Amino acid sequence: MIAPRKILTAEMIAAIEALAPRYPDRRALTLPALHIVNDSLRYVPLEAVVEVAELLGLKPAEVQDSLSFYEFFHQDAPAGIVRAWVCRSISCALRGGEEVMEHLCRKAGVRPGETTSDGLLTVEVAECLGACDFAPCMLAGSTLYKNLTPEKMNEFLAHSKVSCHE
Amino acid sequence: MSDFQPVLLAGIGITDSFTRASYEERGGYAALRQTLTEKKPTDVIDIIKASGLRGRGGAGFPTGLKWTFLPKDHPGPIYLCINADESEPGTFNNRILMEEDPHQVLEGTILSAYATRATTAYIYLRYEYPASWDRMQSAIDECYAAGYLGNKILGSSFSLNIYLHRGAAAYICGEETGLIESLEGKRAWPRIKPPFPAVEGLFHKPTVVNNIETVACVAQIVRRGVDWFRSIGVPSDPANPRDPGSYGPKLYCLSGHVNRPGCYEAPLGITVRELIDRFGGGVWKNRKAKAAIPGGISMGILTEAEFDTPLDFSGPGKVGCLGLGTAAVVVLDETVSMIDFLYNSCRFFAHESCGQCTPCREGTSWSLRMIERIRAGKGRIKDLDLLLEIGTTIGMMPGTTICGLADGAGWPIKNTIKKFRDECEDYVKRTNPTGWMVNEPVPALAIVNGH
């Protein structure tokens, strides 16, 4: 059955189907499909889960089961325009990772996991970003911010046009 | 050591090192051409077996031997999965290989697929590496254009497709059967073995999972020969017939409190002290080192007095660590509290435990709550023994979990409390002067978690 109001656009469905020949089983398209939806909507609402399941011939619960495992896809509301992942693992923590995270949160007026009220920025903790040679670091969108300091965080916030507290 | 020249990192710093033209200028893909015309797949397996190459992803299993576990004369398909879900804290050599020299990785992947008769290879690439994704995809496109991928590669009867598959930020996807489950579209719960992936893996078919650095080594071994590879590293111990040795160059990731963090190539067997002094420019801020992680946080911790331990496959185990792991060395200077180190480690594993096996799910979460309680000034000496009990009872080695994540969670706890017992006891007594000897249960604190 096709839901009357589609979350998935024709472009998204075409992008998902373009990957289908790569896998012998359509269930393997689950993660690629969720990424395609998330790249475009910045979240994967439950309605999209149902539609992805229909497209792949799965039960919605099967898709939701995989999705929820990763704690990666937002579901209730879109993430901010920029998703900033600040590394908290050991190499970054040794070089001030927690301090730059605290600075970012204070300036942006959010706690880790929250989105600024202007919807521009979601701040999240990350486990090792694999850039320990540039610790402390942050992945914001597809940009890796290296050797962070509070000053560099201020520059990042100004660049992202987030309205700062203090 | 003095005349050692980097091979895996030879392309680093060269202009446009990530292009096919640059890789071929450095001799790339010649070994592939020669192999496809002159060698059978079994010849490649024999070369890799003879080289003594052991997997670079953490477990150190002999690569050639892993390939021979595939069933003979299988009608196919056989799958090759390349593990680029590099998530072990402190580790970034796969990122550098993929970003700076992706064609070396791809030549190794194609050769590995030829050896294992795989016709499809999936590179499971972690979400956190968008730059690696772009470089790898461009390199794959270049390979199709050049006839190195696709149908009947270079006029031979061998066909191969390579696809990138994007992860979603879960450490457990680096465990080979967790990776397979994730690729299949399920939650990344590691499988009970047997059956091993070589018999029944991805899509129920025979599957080999190899690490990025491992396949880069395959490319260099096929090009330079077995003797070259075996001239580097630490030979097998003649007194131990089961020791396969530690041959070849290794990419050591050095980070933490050193002046020059980075990825450095050295013969297997270099010590932490040599890495810090020769490559890392010494401990930062003119301080002294206190401890170091020998190979990613799962491997436990070395005291400064243990810095002369050779970082080969059997070295760290001789001083109570779990093993060489990913050879990611993280240096802690004298100002670091080992309780803070333990907190960071316990928080990581509590967050990344996949939740499938109760001892790991509960043990990692309980150890984090205890460390939080100690840091909140409510610790008891008894808590150190309880932590030690968790550390020794969760994992594959005590036989209570399916995969090794819990062993990795337990080792930093065991090593820290055994090797730094005095400091841990002092911390508890100093921060909880009136209650450190109490034995009654204490209510746990709420966990702060922002993910």
Side-chain angles (χ1 to χ4, degrees):
Chain A
M1 207 186 88
I2 306 292
R5 210 178 63 215
K6 285 275 186 189
I7 302 277
L8 265 58
T9 62
E11 288 78 18
M12 289 182 207
I13 292 170
I16 295 166
E17 291 299 346
L19 299 176
R22 298 180 169 197
Y23 306 97
D25 180 347
R26 284 177 75 79
R27 186 165 188 179
L29 289 164
T30 302
L31 209 43
L34 294 174
H35 275 306
I36 286 166
V37 174
N38 191 59
D39 285 348
S40 139
L41 302 180
R42 302 198 308 279
Y43 78 135
V44 183
L46 284 174
E47 296 87 333
V49 170
V50 174
E51 291 181 14
V52 166
E54 273 175 5
L55 192 66
L56 304 186
L58 301 169
K59 296 184 179 67
E62 291 175 316
V63 175
Q64 180 66 17
D65 181 59
S66 300
L67 178 152
S68 60
F69 175 80
Y70 295 97
E71 297 182 342
F72 170 84
F73 301 99
H74 291 239
Q75 289 205 282
D76 297 333
I81 302 287
V82 173
R83 232 174 132 170
W85 286 23
V86 186
C87 181
R88 67 174 184 181
S89 290
I90 188 67
S91 300
C92 282
L94 288 170
R95 296 176 80 103
E98 311 229 339
E99 288 76 7
V100 293
M101 173 60 126
E102 201 180 305
H103 182 83
L104 174 64
C105 286
R106 197 173 63 242
K107 283 281 178 182
V110 292
R111 288 185 301 182
E114 292 178 350
T115 302
T116 53
S117 52
D118 54 16
L120 290 177
L121 177 71
T122 300
V123 176
E124 293 178 62
V125 296
E127 301 295 358
C128 192
L129 292 172
C132 319
D133 41 348
F134 303 118
C137 61
M138 168 177 82
L139 183 68
S142 56
T143 307
L144 181 68
Y145 288 80
K146 305 168 179 177
N147 301 117
L148 283 169
T149 58
E151 294 71 36
K152 285 190 186 174
M153 274 297 190
N154 292 343
E155 287 167 26
F156 160 74
L157 284 165
H159 179 73
S160 315
K161 299 187 169 52
V162 174
S163 49
C164 285
H165 294 236
E166 292 177 22
Chain B
M1 175 68 205
S2 52
D3 57 351
F4 176 80
Q5 290 295 321
V7 168
L8 300 168
L9 297 183
I12 307 298
I14 292 175
T15 310
D16 295 337
S17 63
F18 49 88
T19 60
R20 184 170 70 87
S22 166
Y23 184 61
E24 291 188 345
E25 251 169 52
R26 289 178 271 125
Y29 290 117
L32 176 68
R33 286 177 185 280
Q34 197 193 7
T35 301
L36 292 186
T37 49
E38 295 172 13
K39 293 191 176 80
K40 298 194 295 287
T42 48
D43 297 337
V44 181
I45 295 182
D46 290 341
I47 289 168
I48 299 304
K49 271 173 86 172
S51 74
L53 172 64
R54 295 173 67 177
R56 292 336 198 204
F61 195 83
T63 305
L65 187 60
K66 195 182 215 180
W67 292 353
T68 62
F69 292 160
L70 291 166
K72 305 280 175 288
D73 306 319
H74 190 275
I78 290 170
Y79 292 109
L80 176 64
C81 294
I82 304 300
N83 189 343
D85 192 59
E86 180 176 63
S87 321
E88 178 67 25
T91 313
F92 48 93
N93 58 49
N94 290 359
R95 186 198 92 229
I96 287 171
L97 287 172
M98 289 188 287
E99 285 184 12
E100 303 295 335
D101 208 355
H103 283 284
Q104 178 181 220
V105 171
L106 289 178
E107 186 178 17
T109 304
I110 299 167
L111 288 165
S112 302
Y114 182 68
T116 54
R117 300 176 190 270
T119 52
T120 306
Y122 297 100
I123 299 180
Y124 190 103
L125 183 42
R126 69 189 304 226
Y127 174 83
E128 291 88 334
Y129 285 178
S132 296
W133 179 280
D134 292 344
R135 288 273 166 86
M136 287 294 288
Q137 189 57 58
S138 302
I140 289 171
D141 295 344
E142 281 191 298
C143 280
Y144 276 104
Y148 297 157
L149 285 174
N151 287 326
K152 303 203 181 304
I153 294 170
L154 298 174
S156 72
S157 60
F158 173 60
S159 300
L160 175 69
N161 287 306
I162 297 182
Y163 303 121
L164 296 183
H165 190 94
R166 185 156 46 148
Y171 174 70
I172 196 62
C173 294
E175 200 278 345
E176 62 177 7
T177 58
L179 183 153
I180 287 170
E181 287 284 307
S182 175
L183 231 165
E184 289 183 354
K186 304 172 198 158
R187 50 176 51 221
W189 276 1
R191 294 177 181 173
I192 294 173
K193 287 141 277 203
F196 287 92
V199 175
E200 189 183 328
L202 185 64
F203 307 121
H204 302 293
K205 299 294 181 190
T207 302
V208 166
V209 185
N210 285 143
N211 170 266
I212 289 281
E213 188 187 344
T214 307
V215 294
C217 287
V218 167
Q220 297 299 342
I221 292 166
V222 175
R223 184 197 304 188
R224 293 162 196 272
V226 168
D227 293 341
W228 161 76
F229 195 74
R230 290 183 74 89
S231 71
I232 300 164
V234 181
S236 48
D237 177 4
N240 178 5
R242 294 179 62 191
D243 176 22
S246 301
Y247 296 100
K250 179 78 190 85
L251 300 183
Y252 291 92
C253 300
L254 183 61
S255 67
H257 292 159
V258 291
N259 284 313
R260 286 196 302 272
C263 177
Y264 302 107
E265 182 173 351
L268 270 164
I270 191 171
T271 65
V272 172
R273 205 177 302 283
E274 287 170 327
L275 269 176
I276 296 173
D277 294 344
R278 199 171 301 168
F279 295 107
V283 179
W284 77 345
K285 300 181 180 178
N286 290 317
R287 291 180 188 159
K288 290 194 183 73
K290 176 179 187 174
I293 295 168
I297 204 162
S298 301
M299 296 299 118
I301 195 99
L302 295 167
T303 66
E304 199 275 342
E306 294 165 342
F307 277 12
D308 295 311
T309 305
L311 293 174
D312 58 35
F313 285 105
S314 50
K318 290 175 183 158
V319 288
C321 294
L322 181 49
L324 179 65
T326 60
V329 174
V330 184
V331 179
L332 280 58
D333 75 20
E334 57 193 330
T335 68
V336 177
S337 155
M338 295 314 287
I339 295 290
D340 287 349
F341 162 72
L342 211 45
Y343 171 68
N344 190 281
S345 174
C346 289
R347 184 178 63 184
F348 174 78
F349 288 105
H351 186 225
E352 295 298 342
S353 173
C354 82
Q356 185 176 204
C357 308
T358 309
C360 175
R361 182 186 64 240
E362 300 303 316
T364 54
S365 147
W366 187 26
S367 59
L368 173 60
R369 279 176 283 164
M370 272 202 280
I371 283 287
E372 286 194 323
R373 195 165 71 201
I374 290 170
R375 279 173 31 117
K378 294 197 168 39
R380 301 130 353 130
I381 296 299
K382 188 190 174 189
D383 290 337
L384 300 176
D385 297 315
L386 288 172
L387 280 164
L388 209 48
E389 187 185 332
I390 295 174
T392 49
T393 51
I394 64 173
M396 282 172 86
M397 289 190 191
T400 56
T401 61
I402 290 170
C403 87
L405 185 144
D407 300 80
W411 237 269
I413 298 176
K414 278 195 286 193
N415 278 180
T416 304
I417 292 181
K418 283 184 186 158
K419 296 181 183 183
F420 295 91
R421 177 94 197 186
D422 289 350
E423 181 185 335
C424 294
E425 287 199 5
D426 285 349
Y427 185 97
V428 170
K429 290 176 183 174
R430 181 163 46 82
T431 54
N432 190 12
T434 57
W436 60 267
M437 73 294 280
V438 172
N439 269 326
E440 293 95 69
V442 175
L445 302 176
I447 298 184
V448 180
N449 200 339
H451 189 69

